[in-house]
Amino acid sequence: MELMTFPRYSADDIISYLRSHVLTGAEARNLVKGDVFNSPKLEVLHMVYMRLLQKVYGIRLEHFYMMPVNVDIMYPQIFEGFLPVCNLYIHMERLLPVCRITDFQIADVLNPKTKRTARFLSGILNFVNFREFRREVYLELQLNYKSAMEKHQQLEAANREAAVKLEKLNTVPAEHQAEVKQLTDNIRELEQLLRQEYRRKQTALQEVISQKKSDIAENTRKLNELKVTMATLKEEQEQLKSKIVESPEELKNYKELMKETVKKLKKSKQEVIEKYEGYRDLVEVLPSCQLEVQLYQKKMERQGANVETLASVLSEVRNLEDQLESAQIELKKGKTDEMSLKRLVTAKHEKLSTAEIRIKKKREDVEQYKHTVFEYCNRVQEKRGAVYDKVTAIHKEIQQTRFKIHQLKENAEKEEMKAKEIYLNLKAGLEKHHDSLIKTAKSYAAAREDKIAELKKGLLRVQTPESSS
C-alpha cells in the first residue's frame, strides 16, 4: 500500500478542505486539527465520515440508525447502540475500495490511528476531487448535448427555410419567362455573331501576316545571295588587285625588251632585204654565187622563223594588255556592281522599314478594330446589364444558399454524431445504473419479505402462549 495512486495530503490541507467543502455552519467552525489527528474524537471523526458518505452517495443521517434488512439478527435490541458504527463501517468498506484503499478495518472506526486516518482521508478527498472534476465534465457534456440538439433543431429549421428560398429562386415567374427566354436567345445570337466576326478577322490577319513573312523571307534570301556575290567579287577584286600590283614593272621591262628586239629584227630584216636585193642582182649577174644565195636563203628562213617568234611574242604582249584592260574593266564593273548592290541593300532596308511600318499600321488598325468591337460589345452588355446582373445575383445567391446548406448539413451531421456518442454513453451508464438499482431493489425486497415472514412467525409464537394462558 506504500505505492499509492493518490497524493498524501497534510493535516492542515485536510482540515481546511473539510471546513470549506464538506462541513457547514457550526460543524465547520468548531472543527479543530486535534479532533481528527492528534487525539481524535470518535464522534467528530464519525461525523466527518458520515458527511463524506452523504456527499458521495447521498446517504442521509437517519440511514445510519436503521437496521439492515439483509442481515439475520435474532435480538436487534442489542445492536441499537452499536448500529450507527456498524452502518458507518459497512458504508466505508464499500466506499474505500473505490478510493483504492483495501485495508480498512472496524478498528479504524472504533480506535483510529493518526497515520491511517490521514491516509484514508487523503484517498477519500482525492476521490471526491476526481468525482467533482468528472461531474463538471459530465455536466459540460450534457450542456453541450443540449445546445447541440437546440442548434440541430435551428439548423433543420434554417435548412427548411433555405430549401423554400432555393425553390423560389429556381422558379422564374410566369410573367418574366418570355422576357428571360428572349434575352438569353439574343445573348446567344450576339455571342455567335461576335465569335464569327472575330474568327474572320483573325484568319484574314493571319493570312496577311503569313504573306508578309514569306515576302520578308524572300527578301532576306535575295539579300544573302547578294552578300555572297559581293564576297566573291571582293575576293576576285583582291586577286586582280594583287595581279595588277605585282605585274606592271615586269610588263614594262618585258615590253621594252620586246620593242628593242622588234627594232633589231626590223633593222636586220631591212638589211637582209637590202642584201637580198643586192644578191639577187648579183645572182642575176653572177650565177656562180648560187651557194651564197642558198646560204642567204637559209638565213632568210631563219629570219622568217625569228619574225614568227616575234609575232607570237607580240601577240602574247597584246593578249596580256587585253587581259589587263579586261581586268581593269572588270574591276570597274565590280566597283559599279558593289555600288549597285549597296544601293539595292539600302533599297531593301527601306522596303523592309516600309513593310514594318505597314505591318505596324495594320496591327494598329486591328487593335483599333478590336477596340471598336469591344466598345460595341460593352454597349451591348450595358443594354442587357440589368437582366444579366439580376441573373448573376440570383445565381450567386443560389450558390451561397447551397454552400450554406452544405455547411449546415455537415455541421448537423457532426453534431448528430457527437450527440449520438453522448447519447450512447449516457444510455450505457443509465442501463448499468438501472441494472444495479434493480438488483439492489430485488435484494432489498427479498430481504424485506424474509424479515416480514420472520416477524409474522415471531408474532404467531407470541400470540400462541397468550391464547393458551
Side-chain angles (χ1 to χ4, degrees):
M1 289 303 296
E2 293 299 325
L3 300 173
M4 293 180 296
T5 59
F6 56 85
R8 183 72 64 85
Y9 294 104
S10 62
D12 296 330
D13 293 335
I14 292 168
I15 295 299
S16 63
Y17 185 85
L18 292 173
R19 284 174 179 172
S20 59
H21 294 89
V22 179
L23 302 177
T24 57
E27 293 177 354
R29 287 194 299 272
N30 296 326
L31 184 65
V32 185
K33 182 179 177 182
D35 295 340
V36 179
F37 293 106
N38 295 329
S39 56
K41 295 179 181 179
L42 291 178
E43 61 273 12
V44 176
L45 186 60
H46 293 170
M47 182 263 296
V48 170
Y49 285 153
M50 287 178 184
R51 293 300 180 189
L52 287 170
L53 289 168
Q54 185 180 1
K55 186 176 180 63
V56 175
Y57 289 127
I59 300 170
R60 295 193 296 270
L61 290 175
E62 57 268 21
H63 290 170
F64 293 99
Y65 298 94
M66 293 173 66
M67 183 70 71
V69 296
N70 57 354
V71 180
D72 188 8
I73 300 172
M74 293 297 294
Y75 302 102
Q77 296 83 5
I78 301 170
F79 292 92
E80 287 180 357
F82 186 68
L83 192 60
V85 178
C86 183
N87 285 328
L88 179 63
Y89 170 72
I90 291 166
H91 290 300
M92 288 294 291
E93 194 177 21
R94 188 180 66 170
L95 171 64
L96 289 173
V98 179
C99 303
R100 303 301 296 272
I101 298 170
T102 57
D103 59 344
F104 187 74
Q105 298 173 1
I106 189 68
D108 296 320
V109 178
L110 298 174
N111 187 17
K113 303 294 182 182
T114 302
K115 290 184 179 180
R116 289 176 67 83
T117 304
R119 186 161 62 83
F120 297 152
L121 289 173
S122 297
I124 294 168
L125 294 183
N126 181 63
F127 175 73
V128 168
N129 288 326
F130 173 74
R131 178 175 171 274
E132 292 294 328
F133 175 71
R134 297 313 299 174
R135 184 170 172 273
E136 289 176 0
V137 173
Y138 174 74
L139 291 174
E140 187 178 358
L141 285 171
Q142 190 176 8
L143 185 63
N144 290 330
Y145 176 72
K146 188 177 179 181
S147 62
M149 290 299 293
E150 292 176 356
K151 193 174 181 181
H152 179 66
Q153 292 174 358
Q154 291 175 1
L155 291 172
E156 284 183 348
N159 194 1
R160 287 193 293 272
E161 291 176 0
V164 173
K165 287 182 180 178
L166 187 62
E167 288 179 359
K168 288 181 181 179
L169 291 171
N170 285 328
T171 56
V172 180
E175 61 270 13
H176 296 295
Q177 283 181 355
E179 187 178 357
V180 171
K181 188 176 181 181
Q182 187 178 1
L183 285 170
T184 52
D185 294 335
N186 293 328
I187 289 163
R188 288 198 191 100
E189 289 177 0
L190 183 60
E191 286 178 352
Q192 191 173 4
L193 290 171
L194 288 173
R195 287 195 193 96
Q196 290 176 359
E197 186 69 21
Y198 178 72
R199 285 172 186 169
R200 187 173 62 77
K201 296 292 182 182
Q202 191 175 9
T203 52
L205 184 63
Q206 285 178 357
E207 288 176 358
V208 171
I209 290 166
S210 62
Q211 184 66 33
K212 293 296 179 183
K213 284 182 178 179
S214 61
D215 294 337
I216 290 165
E218 186 67 26
N219 291 326
T220 52
R221 187 179 62 77
K222 289 180 180 179
L223 183 63
N224 291 326
E225 289 178 357
L226 291 172
K227 285 181 180 179
V228 172
T229 53
M230 281 179 66
T232 54
L233 288 172
K234 281 182 180 180
E235 289 177 358
E236 291 178 359
Q237 185 181 0
E238 291 294 330
Q239 292 176 1
L240 291 171
K241 278 182 181 180
S242 63
K243 286 180 182 180
I244 292 164
V245 171
E246 289 174 358
S247 58
E249 293 180 357
E250 294 178 357
L251 287 170
K252 206 181 240 186
N253 295 325
Y254 189 71
K255 282 179 182 181
E256 288 177 357
L257 289 171
M258 289 295 146
K259 283 178 183 179
E260 288 177 358
T261 52
V262 167
K263 285 178 182 179
K264 286 179 182 179
L265 289 170
K266 282 180 180 179
K267 284 179 182 179
S268 61
K269 184 179 179 183
Q270 191 68 30
E271 288 176 358
V272 168
I273 289 166
E274 288 176 357
K275 285 180 181 182
Y276 176 72
E277 288 177 355
Y279 282 123
R280 187 177 61 186
D281 294 336
L282 289 171
V283 166
E284 289 176 356
V285 178
L286 298 169
S288 60
C289 296
Q290 289 180 356
L291 294 171
E292 191 175 353
V293 170
Q294 289 177 358
L295 290 172
Y296 277 111
Q297 283 180 353
K298 289 179 181 179
K299 283 183 180 181
M300 284 295 292
E301 289 175 359
R302 291 194 195 96
Q303 290 295 327
N306 290 327
V307 169
E308 288 176 359
T309 55
L310 179 61
S312 64
V313 168
L314 288 172
S315 65
E316 286 179 1
V317 170
R318 282 194 296 273
N319 289 326
L320 289 171
E321 287 177 354
D322 293 334
Q323 287 178 3
L324 182 61
E325 288 175 0
S326 63
Q328 288 177 355
I329 290 164
E330 286 178 358
L331 181 62
K332 288 179 182 179
K333 192 176 180 181
K335 287 181 179 179
T336 54
D337 290 335
E338 186 178 0
M339 294 299 293
S340 64
L341 286 171
K342 283 182 180 178
R343 291 194 195 96
L344 186 62
V345 168
T346 53
K348 293 290 182 183
H349 280 299
E350 288 175 357
K351 285 182 181 179
L352 285 171
S353 62
T354 53
E356 287 177 356
I357 291 164
R358 286 177 184 173
I359 290 166
K360 190 175 180 181
K361 191 175 180 182
K362 285 184 179 180
R363 285 178 182 172
E364 289 176 354
D365 293 333
V366 170
E367 291 293 332
Q368 186 68 27
Y369 181 74
K370 285 182 180 179
H371 186 65
T372 54
V373 169
F374 286 142
E375 286 179 353
Y376 180 72
C377 292
N378 290 327
R379 287 198 295 272
V380 171
Q381 285 180 356
E382 287 175 357
K383 287 179 182 179
R384 65 183 179 87
V387 177
Y388 182 75
D389 291 334
K390 287 180 182 179
V391 172
T392 52
I394 288 165
H395 282 299
K396 285 181 182 177
E397 192 173 356
I398 289 166
Q399 289 177 357
Q400 288 177 0
T401 51
R402 284 178 181 172
F403 183 70
K404 286 180 181 178
I405 288 164
H406 184 66
Q407 284 185 346
L408 291 171
K409 284 181 179 179
E410 288 181 352
N411 293 326
E413 288 176 357
K414 290 180 181 177
E415 296 295 333
E416 189 175 358
M417 291 296 290
K418 289 181 181 178
K420 282 181 180 179
E421 289 179 359
I422 294 167
Y423 174 73
L424 291 172
N425 293 326
L426 289 172
K427 189 176 180 182
L430 288 171
E431 286 177 356
K432 289 180 181 178
H433 186 65
H434 288 163
D435 292 336
S436 63
L437 285 175
I438 288 164
K439 288 179 182 179
T440 53
K442 285 180 179 179
S443 62
Y444 179 74
R448 187 175 179 183
E449 288 176 357
D450 294 336
K451 192 68 177 177
I452 290 166
E454 289 177 359
L455 290 171
K456 285 180 179 180
K457 288 178 183 179
L459 288 171
L460 289 171
R461 289 173 186 171
V462 170
Q463 288 174 1
T464 50
E466 287 179 357
S467 60
S468 63
S469 64

